[in-house]
Amino acid sequence: MTEPQGTETERRLTVFLVDDHAMFRAGVRAELGAHVEVVGEASSVAEAVSKIAAIEPDVVLLDVHMPDGGGRAVLDAMRRSHPHVKFLALSVSDAAEDVIGLIRAGARGYVTKTISPDELAAAIRRVADGDAVFSPRLAGFVLDAFASRPDVPVADPELDQLTNREREVLRLLARGYAYKEIAKELFISIKTVETHVSNVLRKLQMSNRYELSRWAADRRLV
Amino acid sequence: MTTAVNPPPRRLYRPRDHRIVAGVASGLAQHLGVPVLVVRIALVVLLGFNGLGLLLYAAFWAVLPQQVVTADPPQRRDLAMLLPFGAIGLGVVLLQSLVFQDSVAGTVGWLIAVVAVGAGIIWHQSDPTRRHLGGAVPQQPWLAAVVAESDRRFFLFRFIGGGVLVATGIIGVVAVYAPAGSLTAVINGVIFALVGLLGVGVVAAPLLWRMFNQLRAEREGRIREQERAELAAMIHDQVLHTLALIQRNSADIKEVQRLARGQERSLRNWLYKPAASPTERFAAALEQAAAEVEDTYAISVETVVVGDTECDERVAALVAAAREALVNAARHAGVSTVSLYAEVEESELSVFVRDRGAGFEMAGVKESRHGVRGSIIGRMQRHGGKAEIRSAPGDGTEVRLTLPASRESVSAAKEAAR
């Protein structure tokens, strides 16, 4: 992630900002300007929904906490009608319920606002390529959510369980490894790492797992 | 007085104007679209059927909401409106003595009359505009009638009314029991006793209700006040002080970063985390250690803890070793971010401290340096655990600490997770 612009500079990615703080939007716009093309911004859910539908950017940077339902509401409104628009949550909150909630609603990744501009640009690029962006913290939450509790019956084991490999990948992510370091550690290709991570994201979004709700209930999130 | 010019929605309610007693008849008439007189006559006729009319009237009165005040409400003294109560009571008595000739039923009739008049007056007094509790108990306007505490005068009024009912009840019981014997006398006694109880209830209900309400309001207020005070104290102690320090040290970027990071962490914990004592829980202890290192060395520690467990002596040693690893990374690696990952599993606890800094050769560490050998490797071995250090110059360092979970701590963790 030290080379944010990478080698493929054929087309600049279009990015849309949704945040109710104008100062923050201005800051992100200024910092990202060198890496991607910021094509629009919105300060409310309604504005975001209409503008994203009109502009159709590659990636939407989505704030979690806004009036009128926040990032969740934008995702719910856009995900079905615009499946090719990727969402990356960018929030000051790293509370478990926000992170897991946004991912389950369909965001492709979750980063906190303390992220450095280079890392943010790299995350946007990765999301645009169809990958998931897992911060160590998010990996930790997912491991927590899918922690094996053998006494609970699992409805769909294929869907609801993380494979050992996926678990290993997540652990390494949580330990602060980059994708290529994970690949080296596990003797697999970077592509495979990315596939595992994408699968985890898919499971997280699709799992109707009893476990997840109990996990949330345990932490008084619901 | 208030003239409703625009047609109100056809809802069943009791109008404030055009009423004799409580407006039930005119409300019904308006709703059904028939003349008021018809409704009134129907009610009076129904009165003949064992007081059905009265019962209906009372039921409607209790259930129907009053029309919303549109203009200033009529302020006429409604002594005249008390007359109907007398009339109703008298009517009941007359009917009863007409229909049932015998004396017991007659007594019951009298009693009903007394109750009707008394309750009616009391109810009426708390009815028109002074239903404070109508808001407090929105679903039960009728409750407010007995319970509403408006002002001293009406309290006195209610008190006297209730007292009269109680007295009547007691007198009745005595009067019925004096001849002693028959079943009807016993039934009458029971009825009188009930009337007496009703009286006591009428007198005591507002007091009890008010007391209960006051207590509840007081308690809620106190809790809110406490929360506010806590929030204010927290913001004062932390946020304001930090901002002041940042203003004073604005030239020293490292210091500003350190302050901001510490403040961010403490606010975050305050907002999102349940408080846990670092001496009792593994996760809290690790986070505290990470926080101390962050503050001391002005680096950021990305802490991820999966699962949690009780803190015992061995776990505390693991935390101490992890802290030492963090300190080493902060001092020697020359990076701004260190990752700390810990996981609690069935069989073991593991902690990983990783940095992408300078790295070193394990073989090159002198025997005299105690940090790694003593504080990390030695400490882990003493407590039955294991420490592994992977490092290469230029490739960063990872310290892996594992500790087999003792049986007790595992079961305790599972208990806590439930």
PDB file of all heavy atoms in Angstrom, chain A residues 92-95 136-137 140 143-144 171 174-178 181 185 218, chain B residues 268 272 303-304 306-307 339 341 343 345 352 354 356 390 398 400 417:
ATOM      1  N   VAL A  92     -16.112   7.416  11.590  1.00  0.00           N
ATOM      2  CA  VAL A  92     -15.316   7.702  12.771  1.00  0.00           C
ATOM      3  C   VAL A  92     -15.561   6.616  13.821  1.00  0.00           C
ATOM      4  O   VAL A  92     -14.767   6.393  14.718  1.00  0.00           O
ATOM      5  CB  VAL A  92     -15.649   9.103  13.322  1.00  0.00           C
ATOM      6  CG1 VAL A  92     -16.975   9.106  14.049  1.00  0.00           C
ATOM      7  CG2 VAL A  92     -14.541   9.590  14.237  1.00  0.00           C
ATOM      8  N   SER A  93     -16.666   5.917  13.660  1.00  0.00           N
ATOM      9  CA  SER A  93     -17.012   4.893  14.637  1.00  0.00           C
ATOM     10  C   SER A  93     -16.395   3.556  14.251  1.00  0.00           C
ATOM     11  O   SER A  93     -16.456   3.145  13.097  1.00  0.00           O
ATOM     12  CB  SER A  93     -18.536   4.737  14.693  1.00  0.00           C
ATOM     13  OG  SER A  93     -18.856   3.460  15.184  1.00  0.00           O
ATOM     14  N   ASP A  94     -15.770   2.891  15.212  1.00  0.00           N
ATOM     15  CA  ASP A  94     -15.383   1.519  14.923  1.00  0.00           C
ATOM     16  C   ASP A  94     -16.098   0.582  15.887  1.00  0.00           C
ATOM     17  O   ASP A  94     -15.580  -0.447  16.279  1.00  0.00           O
ATOM     18  CB  ASP A  94     -13.866   1.331  14.968  1.00  0.00           C
ATOM     19  CG  ASP A  94     -13.309   1.627  16.349  1.00  0.00           C
ATOM     20  OD1 ASP A  94     -14.079   2.047  17.219  1.00  0.00           O
ATOM     21  OD2 ASP A  94     -12.104   1.428  16.555  1.00  0.00           O
ATOM     22  N   ALA A  95     -17.301   0.967  16.247  1.00  0.00           N
ATOM     23  CA  ALA A  95     -18.121   0.106  17.097  1.00  0.00           C
ATOM     24  C   ALA A  95     -18.575  -1.098  16.295  1.00  0.00           C
ATOM     25  O   ALA A  95     -18.889  -0.990  15.106  1.00  0.00           O
ATOM     26  CB  ALA A  95     -19.331   0.877  17.609  1.00  0.00           C
ATOM     27  N   PRO A 136      -7.783  -4.665  10.116  1.00  0.00           N
ATOM     28  CA  PRO A 136      -7.569  -5.665  11.171  1.00  0.00           C
ATOM     29  C   PRO A 136      -8.739  -5.723  12.145  1.00  0.00           C
ATOM     30  O   PRO A 136      -9.151  -6.791  12.583  1.00  0.00           O
ATOM     31  CB  PRO A 136      -6.301  -5.148  11.861  1.00  0.00           C
ATOM     32  CG  PRO A 136      -5.571  -4.408  10.807  1.00  0.00           C
ATOM     33  CD  PRO A 136      -6.621  -3.795   9.944  1.00  0.00           C
ATOM     34  N   ARG A 137      -9.274  -4.558  12.442  1.00  0.00           N
ATOM     35  CA  ARG A 137     -10.373  -4.510  13.394  1.00  0.00           C
ATOM     36  C   ARG A 137     -11.604  -5.244  12.883  1.00  0.00           C
ATOM     37  O   ARG A 137     -12.258  -5.990  13.612  1.00  0.00           O
ATOM     38  CB  ARG A 137     -10.718  -3.050  13.659  1.00  0.00           C
ATOM     39  CG  ARG A 137     -11.066  -2.822  15.078  1.00  0.00           C
ATOM     40  CD  ARG A 137     -11.360  -1.387  15.378  1.00  0.00           C
ATOM     41  NE  ARG A 137     -12.045  -1.352  16.644  1.00  0.00           N
ATOM     42  CZ  ARG A 137     -11.471  -1.576  17.806  1.00  0.00           C
ATOM     43  NH1 ARG A 137     -10.176  -1.834  17.857  1.00  0.00           N
ATOM     44  NH2 ARG A 137     -12.157  -1.560  18.902  1.00  0.00           N
ATOM     45  N   GLY A 140     -11.181  -8.799  13.128  1.00  0.00           N
ATOM     46  CA  GLY A 140     -11.409  -9.235  14.493  1.00  0.00           C
ATOM     47  C   GLY A 140     -12.891  -9.406  14.796  1.00  0.00           C
ATOM     48  O   GLY A 140     -13.310 -10.399  15.395  1.00  0.00           O
ATOM     49  N   LEU A 143     -14.168 -12.547  13.052  1.00  0.00           N
ATOM     50  CA  LEU A 143     -13.748 -13.749  13.784  1.00  0.00           C
ATOM     51  C   LEU A 143     -14.596 -13.930  15.030  1.00  0.00           C
ATOM     52  O   LEU A 143     -15.012 -15.034  15.371  1.00  0.00           O
ATOM     53  CB  LEU A 143     -12.274 -13.638  14.164  1.00  0.00           C
ATOM     54  CG  LEU A 143     -11.288 -13.926  13.047  1.00  0.00           C
ATOM     55  CD1 LEU A 143      -9.882 -13.569  13.479  1.00  0.00           C
ATOM     56  CD2 LEU A 143     -11.354 -15.394  12.651  1.00  0.00           C
ATOM     57  N   ASP A 144     -14.854 -12.821  15.674  1.00  0.00           N
ATOM     58  CA  ASP A 144     -15.685 -12.862  16.871  1.00  0.00           C
ATOM     59  C   ASP A 144     -17.087 -13.361  16.539  1.00  0.00           C
ATOM     60  O   ASP A 144     -17.664 -14.196  17.238  1.00  0.00           O
ATOM     61  CB  ASP A 144     -15.771 -11.444  17.450  1.00  0.00           C
ATOM     62  CG  ASP A 144     -15.472 -11.431  18.925  1.00  0.00           C
ATOM     63  OD1 ASP A 144     -15.327 -12.525  19.497  1.00  0.00           O
ATOM     64  OD2 ASP A 144     -15.375 -10.343  19.501  1.00  0.00           O
ATOM     65  N   ARG A 171      -7.235 -14.204  10.531  1.00  0.00           N
ATOM     66  CA  ARG A 171      -6.335 -14.047  11.684  1.00  0.00           C
ATOM     67  C   ARG A 171      -5.106 -13.241  11.299  1.00  0.00           C
ATOM     68  O   ARG A 171      -4.679 -12.346  12.020  1.00  0.00           O
ATOM     69  CB  ARG A 171      -5.887 -15.418  12.184  1.00  0.00           C
ATOM     70  CG  ARG A 171      -6.918 -16.089  13.027  1.00  0.00           C
ATOM     71  CD  ARG A 171      -6.271 -17.003  14.050  1.00  0.00           C
ATOM     72  NE  ARG A 171      -7.317 -17.609  14.833  1.00  0.00           N
ATOM     73  CZ  ARG A 171      -7.780 -18.842  14.609  1.00  0.00           C
ATOM     74  NH1 ARG A 171      -7.255 -19.588  13.649  1.00  0.00           N
ATOM     75  NH2 ARG A 171      -8.757 -19.317  15.351  1.00  0.00           N
ATOM     76  N   ALA A 174      -5.954  -9.700  10.910  1.00  0.00           N
ATOM     77  CA  ALA A 174      -6.095  -9.064  12.214  1.00  0.00           C
ATOM     78  C   ALA A 174      -4.732  -8.814  12.852  1.00  0.00           C
ATOM     79  O   ALA A 174      -4.566  -7.900  13.648  1.00  0.00           O
ATOM     80  CB  ALA A 174      -6.962  -9.924  13.128  1.00  0.00           C
ATOM     81  N   ARG A 175      -3.768  -9.653  12.502  1.00  0.00           N
ATOM     82  CA  ARG A 175      -2.429  -9.476  13.058  1.00  0.00           C
ATOM     83  C   ARG A 175      -1.651  -8.389  12.350  1.00  0.00           C
ATOM     84  O   ARG A 175      -0.503  -8.131  12.684  1.00  0.00           O
ATOM     85  CB  ARG A 175      -1.662 -10.802  12.954  1.00  0.00           C
ATOM     86  CG  ARG A 175      -1.970 -11.746  14.099  1.00  0.00           C
ATOM     87  CD  ARG A 175      -1.701 -13.179  13.750  1.00  0.00           C
ATOM     88  NE  ARG A 175      -0.291 -13.465  13.517  1.00  0.00           N
ATOM     89  CZ  ARG A 175       0.177 -14.691  13.286  1.00  0.00           C
ATOM     90  NH1 ARG A 175      -0.658 -15.730  13.267  1.00  0.00           N
ATOM     91  NH2 ARG A 175       1.446 -14.894  13.080  1.00  0.00           N
ATOM     92  N   GLY A 176      -2.259  -7.776  11.359  1.00  0.00           N
ATOM     93  CA  GLY A 176      -1.617  -6.649  10.708  1.00  0.00           C
ATOM     94  C   GLY A 176      -0.833  -7.007   9.468  1.00  0.00           C
ATOM     95  O   GLY A 176      -0.002  -6.232   9.011  1.00  0.00           O
ATOM     96  N   TYR A 177      -1.086  -8.190   8.913  1.00  0.00           N
ATOM     97  CA  TYR A 177      -0.385  -8.589   7.689  1.00  0.00           C
ATOM     98  C   TYR A 177      -1.052  -7.966   6.472  1.00  0.00           C
ATOM     99  O   TYR A 177      -2.272  -7.837   6.409  1.00  0.00           O
ATOM    100  CB  TYR A 177      -0.425 -10.113   7.530  1.00  0.00           C
ATOM    101  CG  TYR A 177       0.606 -10.841   8.358  1.00  0.00           C
ATOM    102  CD1 TYR A 177       0.594 -10.758   9.735  1.00  0.00           C
ATOM    103  CD2 TYR A 177       1.577 -11.639   7.749  1.00  0.00           C
ATOM    104  CE1 TYR A 177       1.526 -11.432  10.500  1.00  0.00           C
ATOM    105  CE2 TYR A 177       2.514 -12.324   8.502  1.00  0.00           C
ATOM    106  CZ  TYR A 177       2.482 -12.207   9.884  1.00  0.00           C
ATOM    107  OH  TYR A 177       3.392 -12.880  10.634  1.00  0.00           O
ATOM    108  N   ALA A 178      -0.237  -7.623   5.484  1.00  0.00           N
ATOM    109  CA  ALA A 178      -0.776  -7.194   4.207  1.00  0.00           C
ATOM    110  C   ALA A 178      -1.083  -8.443   3.376  1.00  0.00           C
ATOM    111  O   ALA A 178      -0.620  -9.533   3.691  1.00  0.00           O
ATOM    112  CB  ALA A 178       0.226  -6.312   3.481  1.00  0.00           C
ATOM    113  N   GLU A 181       1.842 -10.418   2.246  1.00  0.00           N
ATOM    114  CA  GLU A 181       2.510 -11.121   3.354  1.00  0.00           C
ATOM    115  C   GLU A 181       1.711 -12.364   3.755  1.00  0.00           C
ATOM    116  O   GLU A 181       2.275 -13.393   4.113  1.00  0.00           O
ATOM    117  CB  GLU A 181       2.644 -10.182   4.564  1.00  0.00           C
ATOM    118  CG  GLU A 181       3.607  -9.031   4.320  1.00  0.00           C
ATOM    119  CD  GLU A 181       3.495  -7.946   5.368  1.00  0.00           C
ATOM    120  OE1 GLU A 181       2.386  -7.753   5.922  1.00  0.00           O
ATOM    121  OE2 GLU A 181       4.497  -7.290   5.632  1.00  0.00           O
ATOM    122  N   GLU A 185       3.011 -16.153   3.767  1.00  0.00           N
ATOM    123  CA  GLU A 185       2.910 -16.925   5.000  1.00  0.00           C
ATOM    124  C   GLU A 185       2.198 -18.259   4.779  1.00  0.00           C
ATOM    125  O   GLU A 185       2.578 -19.287   5.323  1.00  0.00           O
ATOM    126  CB  GLU A 185       2.159 -16.081   6.045  1.00  0.00           C
ATOM    127  CG  GLU A 185       1.992 -16.721   7.408  1.00  0.00           C
ATOM    128  CD  GLU A 185       3.260 -16.598   8.249  1.00  0.00           C
ATOM    129  OE1 GLU A 185       4.082 -15.726   7.938  1.00  0.00           O
ATOM    130  OE2 GLU A 185       3.395 -17.384   9.209  1.00  0.00           O
ATOM    131  N   ASP A 218     -25.658 -10.572  22.565  1.00  0.00           N
ATOM    132  CA  ASP A 218     -24.712 -10.688  23.672  1.00  0.00           C
ATOM    133  C   ASP A 218     -24.085  -9.344  23.999  1.00  0.00           C
ATOM    134  O   ASP A 218     -23.759  -9.054  25.135  1.00  0.00           O
ATOM    135  CB  ASP A 218     -23.575 -11.657  23.310  1.00  0.00           C
ATOM    136  CG  ASP A 218     -24.022 -13.087  23.442  1.00  0.00           C
ATOM    137  OD1 ASP A 218     -25.118 -13.297  23.988  1.00  0.00           O
ATOM    138  OD2 ASP A 218     -23.273 -13.979  23.008  1.00  0.00           O
TER     139      ASP A 218
ATOM    140  N   ARG B 268     -13.695   7.110  22.560  1.00  0.00           N
ATOM    141  CA  ARG B 268     -14.197   5.907  21.914  1.00  0.00           C
ATOM    142  C   ARG B 268     -14.627   4.869  22.946  1.00  0.00           C
ATOM    143  O   ARG B 268     -15.717   4.299  22.866  1.00  0.00           O
ATOM    144  CB  ARG B 268     -13.089   5.320  21.073  1.00  0.00           C
ATOM    145  CG  ARG B 268     -13.482   4.861  19.733  1.00  0.00           C
ATOM    146  CD  ARG B 268     -12.258   4.379  19.003  1.00  0.00           C
ATOM    147  NE  ARG B 268     -11.894   5.298  17.942  1.00  0.00           N
ATOM    148  CZ  ARG B 268     -12.674   5.580  16.909  1.00  0.00           C
ATOM    149  NH1 ARG B 268     -13.859   5.043  16.808  1.00  0.00           N
ATOM    150  NH2 ARG B 268     -12.294   6.407  15.979  1.00  0.00           N
ATOM    151  N   TYR B 272     -18.438   3.639  23.178  1.00  0.00           N
ATOM    152  CA  TYR B 272     -18.825   2.359  22.575  1.00  0.00           C
ATOM    153  C   TYR B 272     -18.573   1.145  23.439  1.00  0.00           C
ATOM    154  O   TYR B 272     -19.059   0.080  23.140  1.00  0.00           O
ATOM    155  CB  TYR B 272     -18.076   2.159  21.253  1.00  0.00           C
ATOM    156  CG  TYR B 272     -18.316   3.235  20.249  1.00  0.00           C
ATOM    157  CD1 TYR B 272     -17.272   3.977  19.728  1.00  0.00           C
ATOM    158  CD2 TYR B 272     -19.610   3.518  19.818  1.00  0.00           C
ATOM    159  CE1 TYR B 272     -17.505   4.979  18.803  1.00  0.00           C
ATOM    160  CE2 TYR B 272     -19.849   4.513  18.900  1.00  0.00           C
ATOM    161  CZ  TYR B 272     -18.795   5.238  18.390  1.00  0.00           C
ATOM    162  OH  TYR B 272     -19.026   6.217  17.485  1.00  0.00           O
ATOM    163  N   THR B 303      -5.251  -2.309  18.123  1.00  0.00           N
ATOM    164  CA  THR B 303      -5.548  -3.418  19.021  1.00  0.00           C
ATOM    165  C   THR B 303      -6.798  -4.158  18.567  1.00  0.00           C
ATOM    166  O   THR B 303      -7.844  -3.552  18.370  1.00  0.00           O
ATOM    167  CB  THR B 303      -5.774  -2.893  20.448  1.00  0.00           C
ATOM    168  OG1 THR B 303      -4.699  -2.041  20.789  1.00  0.00           O
ATOM    169  CG2 THR B 303      -5.865  -4.038  21.429  1.00  0.00           C
ATOM    170  N   VAL B 304      -6.673  -5.449  18.382  1.00  0.00           N
ATOM    171  CA  VAL B 304      -7.838  -6.283  18.071  1.00  0.00           C
ATOM    172  C   VAL B 304      -7.826  -7.463  19.024  1.00  0.00           C
ATOM    173  O   VAL B 304      -6.851  -8.205  19.085  1.00  0.00           O
ATOM    174  CB  VAL B 304      -7.795  -6.800  16.619  1.00  0.00           C
ATOM    175  CG1 VAL B 304      -8.994  -7.690  16.337  1.00  0.00           C
ATOM    176  CG2 VAL B 304      -7.748  -5.644  15.642  1.00  0.00           C
ATOM    177  N   VAL B 306     -10.070 -10.803  20.144  1.00  0.00           N
ATOM    178  CA  VAL B 306     -11.205 -11.673  19.851  1.00  0.00           C
ATOM    179  C   VAL B 306     -11.435 -12.559  21.062  1.00  0.00           C
ATOM    180  O   VAL B 306     -10.553 -13.309  21.462  1.00  0.00           O
ATOM    181  CB  VAL B 306     -10.944 -12.524  18.597  1.00  0.00           C
ATOM    182  CG1 VAL B 306     -12.058 -13.539  18.390  1.00  0.00           C
ATOM    183  CG2 VAL B 306     -10.819 -11.624  17.380  1.00  0.00           C
ATOM    184  N   GLY B 307     -12.619 -12.445  21.627  1.00  0.00           N
ATOM    185  CA  GLY B 307     -12.940 -13.221  22.814  1.00  0.00           C
ATOM    186  C   GLY B 307     -12.384 -12.553  24.063  1.00  0.00           C
ATOM    187  O   GLY B 307     -11.679 -11.546  23.990  1.00  0.00           O
ATOM    188  N   SER B 339       0.741  -3.451  15.382  1.00  0.00           N
ATOM    189  CA  SER B 339      -0.487  -4.237  15.492  1.00  0.00           C
ATOM    190  C   SER B 339      -0.419  -5.144  16.704  1.00  0.00           C
ATOM    191  O   SER B 339       0.599  -5.786  16.954  1.00  0.00           O
ATOM    192  CB  SER B 339      -0.680  -5.116  14.249  1.00  0.00           C
ATOM    193  OG  SER B 339      -0.819  -4.312  13.116  1.00  0.00           O
ATOM    194  N   TYR B 341      -2.706  -8.216  18.212  1.00  0.00           N
ATOM    195  CA  TYR B 341      -3.868  -9.079  18.010  1.00  0.00           C
ATOM    196  C   TYR B 341      -3.856 -10.168  19.072  1.00  0.00           C
ATOM    197  O   TYR B 341      -2.827 -10.803  19.334  1.00  0.00           O
ATOM    198  CB  TYR B 341      -3.836  -9.720  16.624  1.00  0.00           C
ATOM    199  CG  TYR B 341      -4.917 -10.747  16.406  1.00  0.00           C
ATOM    200  CD1 TYR B 341      -6.253 -10.371  16.346  1.00  0.00           C
ATOM    201  CD2 TYR B 341      -4.612 -12.095  16.267  1.00  0.00           C
ATOM    202  CE1 TYR B 341      -7.261 -11.310  16.152  1.00  0.00           C
ATOM    203  CE2 TYR B 341      -5.606 -13.041  16.068  1.00  0.00           C
ATOM    204  CZ  TYR B 341      -6.923 -12.639  16.013  1.00  0.00           C
ATOM    205  OH  TYR B 341      -7.913 -13.554  15.825  1.00  0.00           O
ATOM    206  N   GLU B 343      -6.235 -13.501  20.746  1.00  0.00           N
ATOM    207  CA  GLU B 343      -7.399 -14.350  20.552  1.00  0.00           C
ATOM    208  C   GLU B 343      -7.515 -15.328  21.717  1.00  0.00           C
ATOM    209  O   GLU B 343      -6.522 -15.906  22.167  1.00  0.00           O
ATOM    210  CB  GLU B 343      -7.293 -15.111  19.226  1.00  0.00           C
ATOM    211  CG  GLU B 343      -8.572 -15.847  18.889  1.00  0.00           C
ATOM    212  CD  GLU B 343      -8.579 -16.376  17.463  1.00  0.00           C
ATOM    213  OE1 GLU B 343      -7.545 -16.288  16.786  1.00  0.00           O
ATOM    214  OE2 GLU B 343      -9.638 -16.894  17.059  1.00  0.00           O
ATOM    215  N   GLU B 345      -9.005 -18.758  22.709  1.00  0.00           N
ATOM    216  CA  GLU B 345      -9.600 -19.967  22.166  1.00  0.00           C
ATOM    217  C   GLU B 345      -9.837 -20.959  23.288  1.00  0.00           C
ATOM    218  O   GLU B 345      -9.395 -20.751  24.412  1.00  0.00           O
ATOM    219  CB  GLU B 345      -8.677 -20.570  21.101  1.00  0.00           C
ATOM    220  CG  GLU B 345      -8.681 -19.804  19.807  1.00  0.00           C
ATOM    221  CD  GLU B 345      -7.531 -20.226  18.905  1.00  0.00           C
ATOM    222  OE1 GLU B 345      -6.376 -19.887  19.219  1.00  0.00           O
ATOM    223  OE2 GLU B 345      -7.795 -20.903  17.914  1.00  0.00           O
ATOM    224  N   PHE B 352      -0.318 -11.649  19.420  1.00  0.00           N
ATOM    225  CA  PHE B 352       0.660 -11.359  18.386  1.00  0.00           C
ATOM    226  C   PHE B 352       0.946  -9.861  18.374  1.00  0.00           C
ATOM    227  O   PHE B 352       0.020  -9.061  18.339  1.00  0.00           O
ATOM    228  CB  PHE B 352       0.135 -11.765  17.006  1.00  0.00           C
ATOM    229  CG  PHE B 352      -0.249 -13.214  16.915  1.00  0.00           C
ATOM    230  CD1 PHE B 352      -1.518 -13.629  17.278  1.00  0.00           C
ATOM    231  CD2 PHE B 352       0.665 -14.153  16.473  1.00  0.00           C
ATOM    232  CE1 PHE B 352      -1.872 -14.964  17.194  1.00  0.00           C
ATOM    233  CE2 PHE B 352       0.326 -15.488  16.387  1.00  0.00           C
ATOM    234  CZ  PHE B 352      -0.952 -15.895  16.754  1.00  0.00           C
ATOM    235  N   ARG B 354       2.980  -7.183  16.136  1.00  0.00           N
ATOM    236  CA  ARG B 354       3.699  -7.107  14.859  1.00  0.00           C
ATOM    237  C   ARG B 354       3.980  -5.660  14.481  1.00  0.00           C
ATOM    238  O   ARG B 354       3.142  -4.795  14.640  1.00  0.00           O
ATOM    239  CB  ARG B 354       2.854  -7.741  13.763  1.00  0.00           C
ATOM    240  CG  ARG B 354       3.454  -7.533  12.401  1.00  0.00           C
ATOM    241  CD  ARG B 354       2.830  -8.395  11.344  1.00  0.00           C
ATOM    242  NE  ARG B 354       3.375  -8.034  10.038  1.00  0.00           N
ATOM    243  CZ  ARG B 354       4.492  -8.544   9.557  1.00  0.00           C
ATOM    244  NH1 ARG B 354       5.158  -9.442  10.238  1.00  0.00           N
ATOM    245  NH2 ARG B 354       4.947  -8.171   8.367  1.00  0.00           N
ATOM    246  N   ARG B 356       6.194  -3.299  11.288  1.00  0.00           N
ATOM    247  CA  ARG B 356       6.869  -3.390   9.992  1.00  0.00           C
ATOM    248  C   ARG B 356       8.119  -2.533  10.007  1.00  0.00           C
ATOM    249  O   ARG B 356       8.440  -1.873   9.043  1.00  0.00           O
ATOM    250  CB  ARG B 356       5.921  -2.888   8.899  1.00  0.00           C
ATOM    251  CG  ARG B 356       4.785  -3.814   8.634  1.00  0.00           C
ATOM    252  CD  ARG B 356       4.530  -3.901   7.139  1.00  0.00           C
ATOM    253  NE  ARG B 356       3.402  -4.779   6.877  1.00  0.00           N
ATOM    254  CZ  ARG B 356       2.167  -4.421   7.080  1.00  0.00           C
ATOM    255  NH1 ARG B 356       1.898  -3.225   7.537  1.00  0.00           N
ATOM    256  NH2 ARG B 356       1.188  -5.253   6.824  1.00  0.00           N
ATOM    257  N   ARG B 390       9.871 -13.689  15.551  1.00  0.00           N
ATOM    258  CA  ARG B 390      10.302 -13.791  14.165  1.00  0.00           C
ATOM    259  C   ARG B 390      10.698 -12.410  13.703  1.00  0.00           C
ATOM    260  O   ARG B 390       9.896 -11.474  13.742  1.00  0.00           O
ATOM    261  CB  ARG B 390       9.146 -14.282  13.308  1.00  0.00           C
ATOM    262  CG  ARG B 390       8.844 -15.745  13.527  1.00  0.00           C
ATOM    263  CD  ARG B 390       8.700 -16.431  12.215  1.00  0.00           C
ATOM    264  NE  ARG B 390       7.486 -16.041  11.543  1.00  0.00           N
ATOM    265  CZ  ARG B 390       7.156 -16.442  10.330  1.00  0.00           C
ATOM    266  NH1 ARG B 390       7.964 -17.214   9.644  1.00  0.00           N
ATOM    267  NH2 ARG B 390       6.046 -16.071   9.772  1.00  0.00           N
ATOM    268  N   GLU B 398       7.713  -9.904  14.461  1.00  0.00           N
ATOM    269  CA  GLU B 398       6.465 -10.362  15.064  1.00  0.00           C
ATOM    270  C   GLU B 398       6.792 -11.190  16.296  1.00  0.00           C
ATOM    271  O   GLU B 398       7.607 -12.106  16.248  1.00  0.00           O
ATOM    272  CB  GLU B 398       5.618 -11.186  14.098  1.00  0.00           C
ATOM    273  CG  GLU B 398       4.264 -11.496  14.716  1.00  0.00           C
ATOM    274  CD  GLU B 398       3.342 -12.218  13.765  1.00  0.00           C
ATOM    275  OE1 GLU B 398       3.740 -13.261  13.219  1.00  0.00           O
ATOM    276  OE2 GLU B 398       2.204 -11.736  13.583  1.00  0.00           O
ATOM    277  N   ARG B 400       5.173 -13.726  18.927  1.00  0.00           N
ATOM    278  CA  ARG B 400       4.009 -14.591  19.108  1.00  0.00           C
ATOM    279  C   ARG B 400       4.050 -15.188  20.499  1.00  0.00           C
ATOM    280  O   ARG B 400       5.010 -15.860  20.863  1.00  0.00           O
ATOM    281  CB  ARG B 400       4.026 -15.716  18.085  1.00  0.00           C
ATOM    282  CG  ARG B 400       4.096 -15.214  16.662  1.00  0.00           C
ATOM    283  CD  ARG B 400       4.335 -16.359  15.706  1.00  0.00           C
ATOM    284  NE  ARG B 400       4.294 -15.859  14.337  1.00  0.00           N
ATOM    285  CZ  ARG B 400       4.427 -16.609  13.275  1.00  0.00           C
ATOM    286  NH1 ARG B 400       4.609 -17.917  13.409  1.00  0.00           N
ATOM    287  NH2 ARG B 400       4.376 -16.095  12.073  1.00  0.00           N
ATOM    288  N   ALA B 417     -19.603 -15.404  28.280  1.00  0.00           N
ATOM    289  CA  ALA B 417     -20.092 -15.141  26.931  1.00  0.00           C
ATOM    290  C   ALA B 417     -21.584 -15.423  26.820  1.00  0.00           C
ATOM    291  O   ALA B 417     -22.251 -14.973  25.912  1.00  0.00           O
ATOM    292  CB  ALA B 417     -19.321 -15.995  25.929  1.00  0.00           C
TER     293      ALA B 417
END
